[in-house]
């Protein structure tokens, strides 16, 4: 296959509506969205609360959600690499744009795995008993203040980076849907429809106006 054919193999022809993602991928995506929102909410509420009992419940919930999203991300990646059905890139998307989209996607996947790991490592190196889901986990390693603080810093910086990527990802999807009016968001949310202008009709109208 030539380089040109290879570059265009995963693109749809101009004016053709792309098929959506498969149902499992869509389910994983929107479940991840809900869990991520809940994780940011519990972290924010924990930082704002002055009630020790409430803070403990929020922290337990946050940790449990972190483990949940780590497992869900592993399963999601396994599905993506085996049975997922992904729509091709839009034909009008440039190679640079595609590279940026892929890079952002890889960073999101990476942080979905790294953030729970750094958070759990911080908890472990505190050297104390902690709650996870409905269980009390005994201390598993000795207290190490240096590693505890290092993992906490990594977790905090990762949260800022993750938040920025999530906002950028959501903003790009909304821009495609409401401004560019293409099917990028619709591929992940088939219930949403976008009425796009009939390009053949517009082209015909332009030609008639030029000859009138």
């Amino acid at each position: 296959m030539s380089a040109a054919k290879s570059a265009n193999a995963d693109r749809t022809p101009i004016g053709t509506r792309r098929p959506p993602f498969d149902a499992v991928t869509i389910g994983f995506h929107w479940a991840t969205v809900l869990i991520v929102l809940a994780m940011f909410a519990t972290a924010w509420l924990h930082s704002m609360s002055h009630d020790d009992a409430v803070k403990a419940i929020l922290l337990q919930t946050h940790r449990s959600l972190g483990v949940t999203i780590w497992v869900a991300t592993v399963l999601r990646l396994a599905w993506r690499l085996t049975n997922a059905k992904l729509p091709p890139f839009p034909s009008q998307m440039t190679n640079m744009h595609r590279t940026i989209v892929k890079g952002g996607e890889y960073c999101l996947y990476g942080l979905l795995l790294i953030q729970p790991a750094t958070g759990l490592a911080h908890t472990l190196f505190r050297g104390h008993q902690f709650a996870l889901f409905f269980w009390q986990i005994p201390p598993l390693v000795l207290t190490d203040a240096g590693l505890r603080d290092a993992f906490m810093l990594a977790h905090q910086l990762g949260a800022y980076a993750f938040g920025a990527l999530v906002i950028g990802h959501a903003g790009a999807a909304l821009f495609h849907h409401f401004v560019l009016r293409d099917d990028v968001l619709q591929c992940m949310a088939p219930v949403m429809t976008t009425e796009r202008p009939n390009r053949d009709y517009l082209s015909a109208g332009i030609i008639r106006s030029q000859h009138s």
Side-chain angles (χ1 to χ4, degrees), residues 52-154:
D52 290 341
V54 172
K55 288 171 72 74
I57 293 173
L58 290 169
L59 189 56
Q60 178 180 352
T61 303
H62 186 77
R63 288 173 181 151
S64 302
L65 290 172
V67 173
T68 301
I69 206 166
W70 192 92
V71 173
T73 301
V74 171
L75 294 175
R76 181 178 178 179
L77 287 172
W79 174 261
R80 183 185 178 98
L81 295 173
T82 54
N83 297 308
K85 296 179 180 179
L86 312 179
F89 283 102
S91 56
Q92 69 272 20
M93 186 177 285
T94 65
N95 289 333
M96 178 63 71
H97 191 180
R98 293 170 64 190
T99 300
I100 294 173
V101 169
K102 287 182 178 180
E105 186 177 25
Y106 295 154
C107 288
L108 283 170
Y109 277 123
L111 285 170
L112 284 170
L113 295 173
I114 292 171
Q115 278 300 97
T118 56
L120 184 58
H122 166 260
T123 298
L124 290 174
F125 283 108
R126 292 175 67 246
H128 298 156
Q129 175 178 292
F130 62 95
L132 190 64
F133 295 105
F134 300 104
W135 303 290
Q136 291 293 326
I137 311 299
L140 300 177
V141 297
L142 296 176
T143 302
D144 189 316
L147 287 174
R148 178 199 63 198
D149 293 343
F151 280 116
M152 187 63 209
L153 178 61

Side-chain angles (χ1 to χ4, degrees), residues 22-37:
D22 63 274
V24 174
T25 299
I26 292 174
F28 270 127
H29 176 271
W30 291 111
T32 299
V33 170
L34 293 176
I35 297 172
V36 166
L37 290 176

